[in-house]
Amino acid sequence: MAEQDKAVADLAEQVEQVVLGEDGKPLSKKALKKLEKEQEKKRRQEERLAREAAERAAREAAEPDVAVGMYGRAPLNMSQTRTDTVWTEVKDLSEAMVGQTVNVQARIQDSRLTGGRMCFLVLREHAATVQALVQADDVAVSRKMVRFADSVPAESIVSVTAEVVRPVETVKSCTVGSVELRVSKLFVTSEVVRQLPFSIEDASRSEEDCEANPALARVALDTRLDGRVVDLRTTPNNAIFKLQHAVCQLFREYLVRQGATEIHSPKIISTASEGGSNVFQITYFKRHAYLAQSPQLYKQACIAADFGKVFEIAPVFRAEDSNTYRHMTEYVGLDLECAFREHYHEVMYMIGEMFVYIFRGLEERWAHELAAVRRQYPSEPLKFDDKPLRLEYKDAVALLRGAGVEIGDFDDLSTPQERLLGELVRKEHGTDFFMLDKFPLAVRPFYTMPDPTDGNYSNSYDFFLRGQEIMSGAQRIHDPALLKERIRAFGIDAAPLEDYIRAFEYACPPHAGGGVGLERVVMFYLGIPNIRLASLFPRDPKRVDP
Amino acid sequence: MAEQDKAVADLAEQVEQVVLGEDGKPLSKKALKKLEKEQEKKRRQEERLAREAAERAAREAAEPDVAVGMYGRAPLNMSQTRTDTVWTEVKDLSEAMVGQTVNVQARIQDSRLTGGRMCFLVLREHAATVQALVQADDVAVSRKMVRFADSVPAESIVSVTAEVVRPVETVKSCTVGSVELRVSKLFVTSEVVRQLPFSIEDASRSEEDCEANPALARVALDTRLDGRVVDLRTTPNNAIFKLQHAVCQLFREYLVRQGATEIHSPKIISTASEGGSNVFQITYFKRHAYLAQSPQLYKQACIAADFGKVFEIAPVFRAEDSNTYRHMTEYVGLDLECAFREHYHEVMYMIGEMFVYIFRGLEERWAHELAAVRRQYPSEPLKFDDKPLRLEYKDAVALLRGAGVEIGDFDDLSTPQERLLGELVRKEHGTDFFMLDKFPLAVRPFYTMPDPTDGNYSNSYDFFLRGQEIMSGAQRIHDPALLKERIRAFGIDAAPLEDYIRAFEYACPPHAGGGVGLERVVMFYLGIPNIRLASLFPRDPKRVDP
């Protein structure tokens, strides 16, 4: 549009412009006049405020600053120097330190300016918070420094020198409430330069709190996961991943004491060996390969190689287009496999004991983290016995039928049936954890050993936690002839399984094992509502970011 | 060919047939006659032998068998029963048990029949071997049972009841030499039904032994790897993977004591984020995704999420078409990342100490396994100091130049240069392990923090073991502005790195870390000649099986 045309168009628009009132109707002449006056008044007021702000800024800039060099933005840490500075962790601050000067590195979780001379900060380091006060005293701390402290965006990291003092009253909103910090130096070491996707406070709130006060912001799951780096900073999330770590550590501790060897089996495999569907395909140089759905065949190969007892903690991949609260396309498998002497119950009971060791260990050694998670996701402590309950599949079917469920002897359990079974078992046996043994052969993988007395059943088991399956396992077929027979019966192509079968042709001890989903154990143990919350950076059919 | 035609052709062949002597010339009539006689004699002899064998078999079959029910093939173990049988491990057999009856499950490593009434077996359970004797006494053990024992294929698994006795002389060829077993029951529980690809003995031999006696069979690397299930049964291989397990355990032990959290980062990633080349592409539902080349970006995200110190043990994938003794397409990464207060040396020295902890732990707690590996792969114990040596890159360049190597100040080290450097450092400082600090900036990844005083260098380091790199690490750039600047300088597309950069825009403490190749540590520590021998089921551009 040429400049002249634009001027004409603007004019036309002006002529047509009619001011509408709040009711949507054109204003009267009188009302119009009143509106103009109000607008003029507002304009003048804004001008005055701007003028005053500029004057204040000039005055403040001119103010003598007693705190020069005691606050500001620190230069980027490129490891310029290594001093002997002693740093105190926020969690370690205590009344015993009152009167001492400490150095602390922490995030500013919150700041509040009071009357221009005082700025209250909440400093957070990992899960610990403490109140800090920057107070102008015209001796060491200036009003400029107070304003600077208040201007630092929340979640920025500061390094602070401060005196530990007794607060007027216990600071209930902080984990360290018996002391506060009187700040004498404050430097920003890493500054937030982008709008946070949500506040730490909003992300830490329980469902109960949200329901009690609908005005409070709720952070949706996808928002959390999109801004996962910030989300993971909340105390409950820090605790969830400490507990995930704890489950792995306890799993290993127990198995290492049993003489098991940790293995690392390949994730890139040549053929979609375990049944075929649900595997991701990779472009592997000039051919295709696949991502392992489990270390099943390899951990068995290790048994055939006389490793005795093996375990592995590693990612497993499932190309399953399931968009549920408990499925992911990549998760962490805790796998184990053990040769036995006579009976697969040697292994099954050992695994049962292992879980008791894990549950007990979480309660005893990670009570602090459990409590932190329960503040956001309330759950009852797990009920379990030292010697875990074993039920047979047919007992489960009877229990369900007793509760009015129609189910065939050899039908697989649906998820709602599993949940109901969990409730029934809890009611009858008072436990949230049990082993369900002797599954129907037809609902288990081809390599499952049939029951020796009734071919409809098998030497296989699932373990349940709060009515949800956390582990599946079995005695495996170690006899190549029977294995081939079962492969034929399943109508599976034996060719890709040639290496697998061969391992047994070289002779292999009888063995049993199982596979545990790490995130499922964490999720059901803690009673958190979605498996994605138990995975650092979850993957599902729709999510591969961040 | 019709039947008649075939008959004609056969006839023609017969007519043309001329018997040739060993010198290739036709035989004389006399010689031909002699040959015919010899052949006739041979035929009759064979007939006689066959007749005698048949008679012997019939006689043996008719022999009264005092050992009926005491030997044979056990029914397939389907966990039929659970008895109170006490099983003794071969390694636990000792002179204190002489006179006792024990039950043992083991493989028959070797068998030797002597005079029809005695069969010597070498029984192997894991790394322990013992001699067992099946001797016909016409009371409890029959000649049939002796012959049966001898007929069991090597590597089959048997369950044996036997008396522990003192051998005539110490059995030097077995690990348990002070006792032997007098077998009264012998059942095959898993039988070898396929020709072994090589013998355990051949696969356990040292290069030195092979050179000393060229008549001995040598098992080529590819043969080993194709028959890996059998190969892994050798005592040195069992020990290599116990030591691999030990490295992981020591790595974790040290880091857990430092307060680090174990993490599990996703292996499926949306973009080829770290530079772009050398990544495997996956078909991910209706799009593409990639396999993570390292947990680099995710472990840093955990630092930005206030995890403080993190580590991960997980597979990493490199689509590199390198067919060398030290490259694989999939290996196990021991990764760690730590926030620090002031200087990346806080982290670097901690990692140095961690390696000393690992090396010391291997020596002290896994001496037995180390010795087992050294029998096949002789190596000197590692020389290292409690406080590991730190050299700067420019010192390394000076050392190399002193040895006549032409190298620019900011050139990267080639593999032969690294080896030479290792030798020079060993000569000068008496250590096989050192930290090389302050690499030229240009040869490091884009996220490496430049040196604060000389922009040609960087705050990065490699750790060397016996002249080979086992870890690469650095202080990372935690400042988004500098990070973007470096990404531009490298000419990398910033778009796929958006999530990564954002983590720092939400503020992040300074941090440093490193990535260790598990198989490399095992390989160089043990001085074994190929990285594939330190991987259970290695993957390279040409191998995805078994």
Side-chain angles (χ1 to χ4, degrees):
Chain A
M1 192 150 53
E3 206 168 304
Q4 205 182 354
D5 292 342
K6 191 176 177 294
V8 172
D10 284 356
L11 199 66
E13 204 182 306
Q14 238 173 347
V15 170
E16 275 177 287
Q17 203 174 354
V18 175
V19 180
L20 303 177
E22 281 179 352
D23 55 2
K25 288 179 189 154
L27 289 182
S28 69
K29 231 177 178 174
K30 197 178 157 193
L32 208 60
K33 200 119 203 191
K34 193 180 161 202
L35 184 70
E36 274 169 8
K37 258 193 179 164
E38 276 171 8
Q39 285 179 340
E40 175 61 20
K41 192 176 161 193
K42 199 177 160 198
R43 197 186 48 76
R44 265 182 287 167
Q45 198 174 10
E46 279 169 2
E47 272 179 12
R48 185 174 50 83
L49 286 172
R51 201 171 48 238
E52 284 174 5
E55 283 167 11
R56 193 172 53 245
R59 202 170 53 240
E60 285 173 7
E63 245 175 45
D65 188 351
V66 292
V68 162
M70 294 296 160
Y71 68 96
R73 286 176 179 77
L76 173 63
N77 184 324
M78 297 171 78
S79 303
Q80 286 86 340
T81 48
R82 203 174 173 186
T83 65
D84 292 330
T85 307
V86 175
W87 298 93
T88 304
E89 284 201 50
V90 170
K91 71 170 169 54
D92 296 333
L93 291 168
S94 71
E95 282 184 270
M97 301 165 92
V98 166
Q100 291 179 23
T101 296
V102 294
N103 299 294
V104 163
Q105 281 182 351
R107 289 191 191 266
I108 294 185
Q109 180 163 303
D110 201 14
S111 64
R112 186 164 43 88
L113 193 66
T114 316
R117 295 186 63 87
M118 270 161 80
C119 178
F120 287 96
L121 303 172
V122 175
L123 299 182
R124 187 187 78 240
E125 190 178 22
H126 304 298
T129 51
V130 69
Q131 181 163 278
L133 176 61
V134 193
Q135 182 166 25
D137 57 7
D138 302 323
V139 181
V141 176
S142 63
R143 302 212 310 178
K144 268 187 179 172
M145 180 168 164
V146 172
R147 284 191 300 270
F148 175 79
D150 183 56
S151 73
V152 179
E155 288 297 303
S156 297
I157 303 172
V158 290
S159 115
V160 151
T161 303
E163 191 190 346
V164 181
V165 300
R166 225 177 288 275
V168 182
E169 57 183 31
T170 302
V171 186
K172 282 184 190 148
S173 57
C174 289
T175 64
V176 177
S178 59
V179 295
E180 70 174 20
L181 298 178
R182 193 64 64 97
V183 177
S184 56
K185 286 188 199 173
L186 184 145
F187 289 95
V188 179
T189 54
S190 182
E191 190 168 3
V192 168
V193 294
R194 174 187 279 269
Q195 169 81 46
L196 294 171
F198 42 79
S199 76
I200 295 298
E201 206 186 348
D202 287 345
S204 310
R205 205 165 279 140
S206 73
E207 186 59 29
E208 214 178 6
D209 287 348
C210 287
E211 272 166 21
N213 185 353
L216 293 174
R218 225 182 247 262
V219 186
L221 180 62
D222 268 327
T223 311
R224 268 181 202 285
L225 297 180
D226 288 340
R228 192 65 163 158
V229 167
V230 177
D231 187 40
L232 288 173
R233 285 183 197 161
T234 69
T235 302
N237 271 344
N238 255 249
I240 286 174
F241 291 95
K242 264 287 175 200
L243 290 164
Q244 195 198 61
H245 155 112
V247 171
C248 292
Q249 194 173 321
L250 292 162
F251 174 82
R252 280 188 302 253
E253 265 178 26
Y254 182 86
L255 290 171
V256 167
R257 279 184 208 164
Q258 302 292 321
T261 303
E262 181 175 14
I263 59 166
H264 301 282
S265 68
K267 302 308 154 204
I268 298 175
I269 53 172
S270 67
T271 49
S273 48
E274 256 187 283
S277 64
N278 302 341
V279 286
F280 289 113
Q281 196 184 62
I282 324 168
T283 308
Y284 195 80
F285 302 101
K286 280 170 185 148
R287 53 167 291 179
H288 285 129
Y290 303 88
L291 285 180
Q293 279 181 291
S294 86
Q296 186 61 36
L297 312 188
Y298 290 98
K299 61 184 184 167
Q300 288 190 255
C302 288
I303 298 300
D306 291 348
F307 281 43
K309 293 189 177 83
V310 295
F311 68 90
E312 175 164 14
I313 298 185
V316 300
F317 306 94
R318 301 279 164 102
E320 215 173 313
D321 199 359
S322 296
N323 294 279
T324 82
Y325 72 99
R326 63 175 205 169
H327 284 93
M328 294 192 293
T329 50
E330 178 181 345
Y331 66 86
V332 179
L334 308 183
D335 266 276
L336 73 164
E337 202 70 31
C338 306
F340 61 78
R341 303 286 194 179
E342 285 190 273
H343 200 291
Y344 75 97
H345 280 177
E346 298 166 34
V347 180
M348 191 189 78
Y349 279 106
M350 187 200 79
I351 303 176
E353 226 179 62
M354 178 191 81
F355 274 109
V356 170
Y357 181 84
I358 292 174
F359 301 151
R360 190 74 74 211
L362 289 175
E363 274 182 358
E364 288 170 2
R365 289 156 60 183
W366 277 275
H368 185 73
E369 284 76 9
L370 274 178
V373 176
R374 284 180 179 145
R375 276 193 291 277
Q376 182 165 16
Y377 303 105
S379 69
E380 275 179 56
L382 198 75
K383 290 174 83 172
F384 60 96
D385 303 318
D386 275 342
K387 199 173 146 43
L389 176 70
R390 169 183 173 270
L391 286 180
E392 289 206 4
Y393 198 83
K394 57 178 192 293
D395 305 331
V397 167
L399 261 175
L400 287 168
R401 283 182 187 154
V405 174
E406 279 184 39
I407 181 171
D409 283 350
F410 311 121
D411 289 352
D412 207 355
L413 295 177
S414 68
T415 307
Q417 285 166 353
E418 289 180 354
R419 284 246 188 103
L420 177 58
L421 179 64
E423 283 170 32
L424 297 170
V425 171
R426 192 178 214 265
K427 214 173 284 171
E428 188 154 321
H429 300 277
T431 179
D432 288 316
F433 174 64
F434 64 95
M435 314 185 290
L436 190 57
D437 194 13
K438 294 280 165 206
F439 268 67
L441 183 62
V443 305
R444 308 296 280 197
F446 68 88
Y447 45 74
T448 308
M449 184 63 87
D451 178 271
T453 54
D454 184 346
N456 289 310
Y457 291 101
S458 64
N459 294 349
S460 69
Y461 39 83
D462 276 6
F463 285 20
F464 286 86
L465 187 65
R466 301 196 200 265
Q468 313 245 22
E469 182 250 305
I470 50 163
M471 198 201 66
S472 212
Q475 177 181 357
R476 329 295 186 174
I477 298 173
H478 64 285
D479 178 73
L482 179 58
L483 189 59
K484 284 183 213 167
E485 190 188 310
R486 294 297 300 152
I487 289 170
R488 267 195 304 277
F490 266 74
I492 296 172
D493 179 15
L497 292 166
E498 212 182 281
D499 279 324
Y500 177 61
I501 298 164
R502 195 174 301 157
F504 306 113
E505 292 177 333
Y506 296 141
C508 179
H511 58 286
V516 183
L518 171 61
E519 295 87 347
R520 284 201 179 184
V521 173
V522 172
M523 172 192 187
F524 299 134
Y525 184 87
L526 295 176
I528 55 182
N530 194 301
I531 197 161
R532 289 162 186 78
L533 297 169
S535 171
L536 273 181
F537 297 96
R539 296 295 182 250
D540 64 35
K542 296 193 178 105
R543 180 178 287 280
V544 276
D545 285 300
Chain B
M1 190 148 52
E3 207 169 303
Q4 205 180 349
D5 293 342
K6 189 176 179 300
V8 172
D10 283 355
L11 201 64
E13 203 180 309
Q14 240 175 344
V15 170
E16 276 177 287
Q17 202 176 350
V18 174
V19 180
L20 302 176
E22 280 179 353
D23 56 1
K25 290 182 187 153
L27 289 181
S28 66
K29 234 178 180 172
K30 194 176 159 197
L32 206 60
K33 201 123 202 184
K34 193 178 161 207
L35 183 71
E36 274 169 9
K37 259 195 180 162
E38 276 170 10
Q39 285 179 342
E40 174 61 20
K41 192 176 162 194
K42 197 176 163 199
R43 198 185 50 74
R44 265 182 289 166
Q45 196 174 11
E46 279 169 3
E47 272 179 12
R48 185 175 50 81
L49 284 171
R51 198 170 52 240
E52 284 174 6
E55 284 166 11
R56 192 170 57 243
R59 201 170 55 240
E60 285 174 5
E63 248 174 42
D65 189 349
V66 291
V68 162
M70 295 297 160
Y71 69 95
R73 286 177 179 77
L76 174 63
N77 184 325
M78 297 171 78
S79 302
Q80 285 88 338
T81 49
R82 204 175 172 184
T83 65
D84 292 329
T85 308
V86 176
W87 299 92
T88 303
E89 284 201 48
V90 170
K91 71 170 170 54
D92 296 332
L93 291 168
S94 70
E95 282 185 271
M97 301 165 91
V98 166
Q100 289 178 25
T101 296
V102 294
N103 299 293
V104 164
Q105 281 182 351
R107 290 192 191 265
I108 294 185
Q109 179 164 303
D110 201 14
S111 64
R112 185 164 44 88
L113 193 67
T114 317
R117 294 185 64 86
M118 269 160 81
C119 178
F120 287 96
L121 303 172
V122 175
L123 299 181
R124 186 186 79 238
E125 190 178 22
H126 305 296
T129 51
V130 69
Q131 180 163 278
L133 176 61
V134 193
Q135 182 166 23
D137 57 8
D138 302 323
V139 180
V141 177
S142 63
R143 302 210 314 174
K144 268 187 178 171
M145 180 168 165
V146 172
R147 283 191 302 269
F148 176 78
D150 183 57
S151 74
V152 179
E155 288 299 302
S156 297
I157 302 172
V158 290
S159 117
V160 151
T161 303
E163 191 190 345
V164 181
V165 299
R166 224 178 288 275
V168 182
E169 56 182 30
T170 302
V171 186
K172 282 185 191 148
S173 57
C174 288
T175 64
V176 177
S178 59
V179 295
E180 69 175 20
L181 298 177
R182 193 64 65 96
V183 176
S184 56
K185 286 189 199 171
L186 183 146
F187 288 96
V188 178
T189 55
S190 182
E191 190 168 3
V192 169
V193 294
R194 174 186 278 269
Q195 169 80 46
L196 294 172
F198 41 79
S199 78
I200 296 297
E201 206 186 347
D202 287 345
S204 310
R205 205 165 280 139
S206 73
E207 187 59 31
E208 213 179 5
D209 287 348
C210 287
E211 272 167 20
N213 185 353
L216 292 174
R218 221 182 251 262
V219 186
L221 180 62
D222 268 328
T223 311
R224 267 180 202 286
L225 297 180
D226 287 341
R228 192 64 163 160
V229 166
V230 177
D231 187 39
L232 288 174
R233 284 182 197 162
T234 69
T235 303
N237 271 343
N238 255 251
I240 286 174
F241 291 95
K242 265 287 176 203
L243 290 164
Q244 196 199 61
H245 156 111
V247 171
C248 293
Q249 194 173 320
L250 293 162
F251 174 81
R252 280 189 301 253
E253 266 179 24
Y254 182 86
L255 290 171
V256 167
R257 279 183 209 165
Q258 302 292 320
T261 303
E262 181 175 15
I263 59 167
H264 301 282
S265 68
K267 303 308 155 205
I268 297 174
I269 54 173
S270 67
T271 49
S273 48
E274 255 187 283
S277 64
N278 300 342
V279 286
F280 288 113
Q281 197 184 62
I282 322 168
T283 307
Y284 194 79
F285 302 101
K286 280 171 185 146
R287 52 167 292 179
H288 285 130
Y290 303 88
L291 285 180
Q293 279 180 291
S294 87
Q296 186 61 36
L297 312 188
Y298 290 98
K299 60 183 186 169
Q300 288 191 256
C302 288
I303 297 301
D306 291 347
F307 280 43
K309 292 189 177 83
V310 295
F311 68 90
E312 175 164 13
I313 298 184
V316 300
F317 306 94
R318 301 279 164 102
E320 215 173 312
D321 200 359
S322 297
N323 293 279
T324 81
Y325 72 99
R326 62 175 206 169
H327 284 92
M328 295 193 292
T329 50
E330 178 182 345
Y331 65 87
V332 179
L334 308 183
D335 266 276
L336 74 164
E337 201 70 31
C338 304
F340 61 78
R341 303 287 194 178
E342 285 190 272
H343 200 290
Y344 74 98
H345 280 176
E346 298 166 33
V347 180
M348 191 189 77
Y349 279 107
M350 188 201 77
I351 303 176
E353 226 179 61
M354 177 191 81
F355 274 109
V356 170
Y357 181 83
I358 292 174
F359 301 151
R360 190 74 75 211
L362 290 175
E363 274 181 359
E364 288 170 2
R365 289 155 62 183
W366 278 276
H368 186 73
E369 283 78 9
L370 274 178
V373 176
R374 284 181 178 144
R375 276 193 290 276
Q376 182 165 15
Y377 303 105
S379 69
E380 277 180 54
L382 198 73
K383 289 174 83 171
F384 60 96
D385 303 318
D386 276 342
K387 199 173 146 43
L389 175 70
R390 170 185 172 268
L391 287 180
E392 290 206 4
Y393 198 82
K394 57 177 193 291
D395 305 331
V397 168
L399 262 175
L400 287 169
R401 283 182 186 154
V405 175
E406 278 184 39
I407 180 170
D409 283 350
F410 310 120
D411 290 353
D412 207 356
L413 296 177
S414 68
T415 307
Q417 284 166 352
E418 288 179 356
R419 285 245 189 105
L420 176 58
L421 178 64
E423 284 170 32
L424 297 169
V425 171
R426 192 179 214 266
K427 214 173 283 168
E428 188 154 321
H429 301 278
T431 178
D432 288 317
F433 174 64
F434 64 95
M435 313 185 291
L436 190 57
D437 195 11
K438 293 283 167 203
F439 268 68
L441 183 61
V443 305
R444 309 296 280 196
F446 69 88
Y447 46 73
T448 309
M449 184 64 86
D451 178 272
T453 55
D454 184 345
N456 288 311
Y457 291 101
S458 65
N459 293 349
S460 69
Y461 40 81
D462 276 7
F463 285 20
F464 287 85
L465 188 64
R466 301 195 200 264
Q468 313 245 19
E469 183 250 306
I470 51 163
M471 199 199 68
S472 212
Q475 177 180 356
R476 328 296 185 174
I477 298 173
H478 64 287
D479 178 72
L482 179 57
L483 189 59
K484 284 183 215 167
E485 190 188 310
R486 295 296 299 153
I487 289 169
R488 267 195 305 278
F490 267 74
I492 296 172
D493 179 14
L497 293 166
E498 212 181 280
D499 279 324
Y500 177 62
I501 297 164
R502 195 174 301 157
F504 306 114
E505 292 176 334
Y506 296 141
C508 179
H511 57 288
V516 182
L518 171 61
E519 295 87 347
R520 282 200 182 187
V521 173
V522 172
M523 172 191 187
F524 299 134
Y525 184 88
L526 295 176
I528 55 183
N530 195 301
I531 197 160
R532 289 162 185 79
L533 296 169
S535 172
L536 273 181
F537 297 95
R539 295 296 181 250
D540 64 34
K542 296 190 177 109
R543 179 178 289 280
V544 275
D545 284 300

